[in-house]
Amino acid sequence: MKKTIALLFFILSVTTTVSAQKTDGNLNRHQFFYAGQSKQRRMFMVQDGKLTWQYNDQLKKGEISDAILLSDGHILVAHQYGIAEVTQDSRTLWSYAAPEGTEIHTIQPIGRTHVVFVQNGKPAKVVVMEIPSTRIVREFTVPVSETGSVHGQFRNARLTSRGTLLIANMGLGCIHEYNSKGKEIERWDGFLPWSVQELPKGNLLITGRKGHIQEITRMGQTVWEINTTTFGITQPQKTVRLKNGNHIINNWYNEWSKTPMDTAHAPVQAVEIDKQGKVVWQLCSWKDPDLGPSTTIQLLDEPVNRDRLFFGEFNPKFPKQFVAPNAPLGVGKGIHPGRVAWIHDPGVAQWDGRTGLWVEDRWNNQAKADDMVREAVIQLSGEPDAKKAWKALFKHFNKTHGRGNRGYKKGETIAVKLNMNNAITHHDTIELNSSPFVTLALVRSMVNDGKIRQQDIILCEPSRAITDSIYNKIKREFPYVRLIDNIGGEGREKCEYYPEQIVYSEDNGKMARGLAKCVVDADYLINTALLKTHNGPGVTLTAKNWYGATDINLLWRQNAHNNISQDKRHGKPGYKTFVDFMAHKHLGQKTLLFIIDGTYGSRDVNGAPAPKWQKEPFNGDWACSLIVSQDEVACDAVGMDILIGEWPEFESMNYCDEYLREAAMIPHAPSGTVYKQEGKPLEKPLGLFEHWNNQRERKYTKIDLKYKKL
């Protein structure tokens, strides 16, 4: 990833110390909570340029290495020889003394009943403690340098939005990420870290011990970096990113140094740097008030909400859903109504998450992908082999669509809707799109098992671009298969559209109404979606994949997204665009097969696939799964449950099941919407919807889930 250009000015343009007279030094620029490692263990609050609160610890032992202002007004503090929770009226609610020979320099709240901290020692440990009882409920060891001191092992650890713990290992020069079971799920080497924190979009902000601060992606790529010594910050420990993109960086002063402070040239305690690398504010308050050395600066309007922090099963998060577990709605579709085949083949996806692109042959097992597709149609149809399975699928589709009890006929076209949402050129990208290996496996099975002519198969992505890894694999083996995408060229046909093909059941504003000609003209469709979450709707599965079959703009920000994102706050039922897609005669109702490609899967709609899946049955691997059905509602229900089970904390998951409830309850949709097809009200449910009982057992009462591990 290229470094952010504006922030490169940090290194190039800042060459003087922050003692320059023009720099703003007013205390009233920020309202903040402040603490520091010093001989006096003190904490402060500064508001409107004045000291409004001060805490003095009288134990006279240790140093404040970490302090966190919580939204309830309490403060968690780690002071080398112990941890405590104190109130602003100086009461200690509970405290814990570090065992002899150990130190504690960092702490995080987990809800209202637990905290987690790193206990320096030999061995060093991560400890989960119940509060206020101070009962230890979980601990596991973490690696340390064999030669380093206990004091120099760890200073900072922070919980992430994923319920994992990031730890800055000073002795080993690395960043660890652990789950609550003590498994290291990621590690980033080559740093001298004092502190680490997760940024809102998942990147990591690392403050180094020698003035080196940088933001890295989870793949370890540097987004930007600065050397703080160029502007007088010689010992930074923590960095605060402000909402406007600026950064406040602290500058610790060692009171134990043999060289006394030069009071005439006192060091700054912190600086604020803007996005162009300019020092716009400095804190230098050694008297009136004397704030002492700086370790922690936290803005008062950004207290930590302990209720939102969790560590695996400690203070776990569960999204709000409209439908309770095992409360089925609707009627199943397919040869075996409501059947969903979940094929799981560990090893089909093997990317290390950092090297090269995930689409490269070295990271994927084509033979396993071939086996997964064949097994999926076998499990779905109940037939003994893939040849008979394809024939059964076509016969059932044609029979239920008034075409007679027959299979595929030569000359009938099958359009496969890919999901290339993250591709706007033909160049391969690291971001997650349709798998070249699953796509090739599907075409192989269609041609070799289903006996479908190559020239009757269309791979299409009307709203995006089909990348080279897919194009080359398909054309090399099946030169007569057509590929149609939004931009055309380089062997791809450019997509054309029929206008005014969608009449929405309710006024939907500026939503796209045209459809790709290749989709409308096809005799059958196959919808190949991806197993991903999505900001707004919560999930992006087969129903949302239809949005890419419309005449939307290649640049997604120029498109309307009316009713695609439910209101996640109030949870009230409402009309859903997805249901109209599912009910449309040229979309959901013309689909032979619904496939969710979860060979990698991802927690985020954009970017490279990440992270690996930790829950059962994945156990730290990629999802390595295909979810396949003839029932779109049931297919998305299973995909949704898998995503919720893995990432229940993902905020957009709240009420993500609304569109499936609406589809399954037609003609009595909870929103009161009268969903229509070609102006005629729908009279039957679009499929079968149910949530499984729980993530561990994964049991349905009506959905016929066929899970098979190859």
Side-chain angles (χ1 to χ4, degrees):
M1 182 179 293
K2 294 182 179 179
K3 299 178 181 179
T4 304
I5 296 175
L7 289 171
L8 286 177
F9 287 108
F10 273 61
I11 300 173
L12 300 176
S13 64
V14 183
T15 57
T16 60
T17 67
V18 295
S19 60
Q21 297 297 314
K22 293 182 180 180
T23 304
D24 182 4
N26 293 327
L27 272 181
N28 61 6
R29 180 177 177 89
H30 296 292
Q31 324 292 311
F32 59 91
F33 167 68
Y34 182 101
Q37 289 182 327
S38 66
K39 295 179 179 180
Q40 303 179 69
R41 288 182 310 287
R42 301 178 297 168
M43 297 182 287
F44 308 93
M45 290 188 194
V46 176
Q47 295 173 281
D48 299 323
K50 298 179 181 179
L51 191 66
T52 58
W53 177 83
Q54 181 172 338
Y55 175 90
N56 294 278
D57 185 354
Q58 301 302 315
L59 295 178
K60 301 187 182 301
K61 183 181 180 182
E63 58 193 29
I64 293 180
S65 303
D66 201 3
I68 302 168
L69 175 64
L70 303 175
S71 56
D72 58 13
H74 296 178
I75 296 166
L76 288 178
V77 58
H79 56 85
Q80 185 177 0
Y81 296 112
I83 54 176
E85 182 173 348
V86 301
T87 65
Q88 293 185 34
D89 58 3
S90 298
R91 290 183 295 120
T92 299
L93 300 180
W94 58 266
S95 63
Y96 170 79
E100 186 71 26
T102 71
E103 297 181 5
I104 305 173
H105 293 277
T106 185
I107 186 171
Q108 287 275 270
I110 311 173
R112 296 182 177 271
T113 58
H114 294 84
V115 295
V116 60
F117 57 89
V118 180
Q119 186 170 283
N120 293 15
K122 296 186 177 180
K125 300 177 180 179
V126 170
V127 180
V128 178
M129 175 179 289
E130 181 184 74
I131 57 172
S133 68
T134 68
R135 180 174 67 94
I136 294 175
V137 296
R138 174 79 49 84
E139 62 180 26
F140 54 85
T141 61
V142 287
V144 297
S145 170
E146 295 182 0
T147 59
S149 67
V150 166
H151 185 70
Q153 290 174 346
F154 304 98
R155 279 298 182 280
N156 179 265
R158 287 294 182 263
L159 288 168
T160 73
S161 63
R162 305 175 183 190
T164 58
L165 186 67
L166 293 171
I167 303 175
N169 191 325
M170 297 195 303
L172 292 180
C174 64
I175 304 294
H176 307 277
E177 183 176 15
Y178 284 95
N179 66 17
S180 63
K181 305 295 185 182
K183 179 180 179 180
E184 183 185 62
I185 57 178
E186 283 288 355
R187 178 170 176 160
W188 297 269
D189 293 300
F191 301 96
L192 292 173
W194 189 279
S195 65
V196 62
Q197 60 184 290
E198 182 189 49
L199 295 172
K201 293 187 177 181
N203 289 351
L204 308 185
L205 184 60
I206 302 169
T207 303
R209 295 165 60 191
K210 292 186 177 182
H212 190 207
I213 299 176
Q214 62 192 123
E215 176 184 346
I216 67 169
T217 68
R218 284 186 162 269
M219 294 179 63
Q221 296 170 319
T222 299
V223 180
W224 60 264
E225 57 189 345
I226 57 175
N227 186 338
T228 65
T229 60
T230 59
F231 44 87
I233 302 296
T234 58
Q235 299 191 77
Q237 295 182 351
K238 293 190 178 76
T239 302
V240 177
R241 174 167 291 182
L242 305 181
K243 293 178 181 179
N244 64 2
N246 290 3
H247 294 79
I248 294 178
I249 306 167
N250 84 307
N251 185 39
W252 178 66
Y253 172 75
N254 185 0
E255 285 191 347
W256 290 270
S257 173
K258 295 180 180 180
T259 304
M261 179 190 293
D262 181 358
T263 56
H265 300 89
V268 294
Q269 292 147 315
V271 297
E272 178 184 350
I273 309 295
D274 67 15
K275 290 186 288 186
Q276 286 70 45
K278 179 183 178 182
V279 179
V280 296
W281 178 70
Q282 64 180 16
L283 175 64
C284 191
S285 183
W286 294 97
K287 62 180 180 179
D288 302 325
D290 176 12
L291 299 181
S294 168
T295 297
T296 293
I297 295 177
Q298 181 183 345
L299 300 186
L300 293 183
D301 63 355
E302 295 184 5
V304 172
N305 188 336
R306 66 199 311 167
D307 294 327
R308 294 182 179 177
L309 295 184
F310 69 105
F311 190 31
E313 70 272 32
F314 298 101
N315 194 37
K317 301 302 176 185
F318 300 102
K320 299 174 183 177
Q321 298 290 281
F322 279 111
V323 180
N326 291 152
L329 301 169
V331 178
K333 307 292 184 182
I335 299 173
H336 303 281
R339 176 170 290 187
V340 179
W342 175 4
I343 311 303
H344 181 205
D345 196 353
V348 66
Q350 304 172 49
W351 186 45
D352 65 1
R354 298 185 183 182
T355 309
L357 303 180
W358 67 269
V359 297
E360 296 174 37
D361 289 349
R362 56 176 167 164
W363 304 124
N364 300 271
N365 189 316
Q366 184 65 61
K368 284 180 174 289
D370 293 346
D371 291 343
M372 292 175 76
V373 170
R374 285 195 298 269
E375 188 61 37
V377 295
I378 290 170
Q379 290 293 323
L380 193 59
S381 66
E383 298 292 336
D385 58 55
K387 181 179 179 180
K388 292 180 179 179
W390 278 107
K391 185 175 182 179
L393 292 173
F394 276 105
K395 288 183 68 174
H396 176 269
F397 181 90
N398 286 323
K399 184 177 180 180
T400 56
H401 285 72
R403 300 177 181 176
N405 188 23
R406 65 169 181 85
Y408 149 81
K409 289 183 179 180
K410 184 172 65 173
E412 291 182 324
T413 57
I414 301 97
V416 179
K417 169 63 175 72
L418 304 176
N419 187 331
M420 306 299 296
N421 188 60
N422 290 316
I424 60 173
T425 74
H426 293 150
H427 298 298
D428 285 322
T429 172
I430 201 169
E431 295 189 284
L432 184 59
N433 294 299
S434 290
S435 164
F437 307 92
V438 171
T439 304
L440 178 59
L442 176 61
V443 175
R444 279 179 173 176
S445 189
M446 292 170 70
V447 173
N448 299 328
D449 300 319
K451 304 305 177 182
I452 300 168
R453 295 194 314 166
Q454 295 184 39
Q455 52 266 51
D456 289 341
I457 299 173
I458 300 172
L459 302 182
C460 68
E461 181 47 288
S463 65
R464 295 292 186 269
I466 297 176
T467 52
D468 291 333
S469 56
I470 292 178
Y471 177 84
N472 291 335
K473 280 188 180 298
I474 298 300
K475 283 295 186 179
R476 185 182 301 119
E477 194 165 330
F478 301 103
Y480 300 112
V481 169
R482 299 170 61 196
L483 290 93
I484 301 175
D485 68 8
N486 182 270
I487 59 177
E490 299 179 292
R492 291 81 160 171
E493 300 173 43
K494 183 175 175 58
C495 188
E496 297 180 348
Y497 308 87
Y498 291 120
E500 302 300 323
Q501 291 292 302
I502 305 176
V503 178
Y504 292 102
S505 298
E506 288 194 3
D507 183 6
N508 209 14
K510 296 181 179 180
M511 280 291 292
R513 287 169 167 75
L515 282 176
K517 288 184 177 181
C518 58
V519 169
V520 174
D521 294 342
D523 296 286
Y524 311 89
L525 299 178
I526 295 178
N527 182 327
T528 59
L530 294 170
L531 190 63
K532 297 195 294 186
T533 65
H534 198 297
N535 293 328
V539 297
T540 176
L541 301 170
T542 68
K544 190 176 185 304
N545 195 32
W546 291 130
Y547 188 43
T550 66
D551 57 350
I552 57 175
N553 195 291
L554 180 69
L555 304 177
W556 70 269
R557 292 184 183 276
Q558 298 183 19
N559 298 299
H561 295 78
N562 305 53
N563 293 301
I564 282 184
S565 300
Q566 75 288 339
D567 190 324
K568 298 177 291 298
R569 293 175 293 278
H570 58 57
K572 295 179 181 178
Y575 161 73
K576 304 312 302 170
T577 299
F578 289 173
V579 181
D580 272 333
F581 291 160
M582 298 165 80
H584 198 281
K585 68 175 183 178
H586 290 307
L587 296 175
Q589 298 308 298
K590 195 163 61 177
T591 302
L592 174 76
L593 205 58
F594 299 95
I595 300 174
I596 300 175
D597 173 7
T599 46
Y600 282 94
S602 188
R603 184 179 182 271
D604 300 301
V605 65
N606 298 317
K612 289 186 176 180
W613 299 58
Q614 300 302 312
K615 307 285 181 63
E616 289 281 350
F618 311 115
N619 301 317
D621 195 3
W622 297 110
C624 297
S625 296
L626 288 183
I627 299 95
V628 184
S629 184
Q630 293 172 285
D631 185 326
E632 184 168 18
V633 177
C635 190
D636 276 19
V638 173
M640 180 180 292
D641 282 345
I642 294 172
L643 289 168
I644 291 174
E646 183 69 19
W647 296 300
E649 76 282 355
F650 189 73
E651 290 189 2
S652 289
M653 290 292 191
N654 286 336
Y655 307 116
C656 65
D657 62 351
E658 182 177 8
Y659 76 95
L660 294 179
R661 183 177 72 156
E662 289 276 291
M665 293 188 71
I666 291 171
H668 306 294
S671 67
T673 302
V674 178
Y675 291 98
K676 303 174 183 178
Q677 186 186 84
E678 296 186 278
K680 183 180 179 180
L682 296 173
E683 298 179 351
K684 296 180 181 180
L686 297 179
L688 176 63
F689 177 46
E690 183 181 5
H691 284 301
W692 62 32
N693 61 335
N694 58 61
Q695 196 276 336
R696 181 173 57 86
E697 295 179 330
R698 304 186 292 277
K699 299 295 185 182
Y700 293 99
T701 61
K702 290 292 185 180
I703 288 180
D704 182 16
L705 179 63
K706 298 294 183 182
Y707 170 81
K708 185 166 184 179
K709 185 175 181 180
L710 299 181

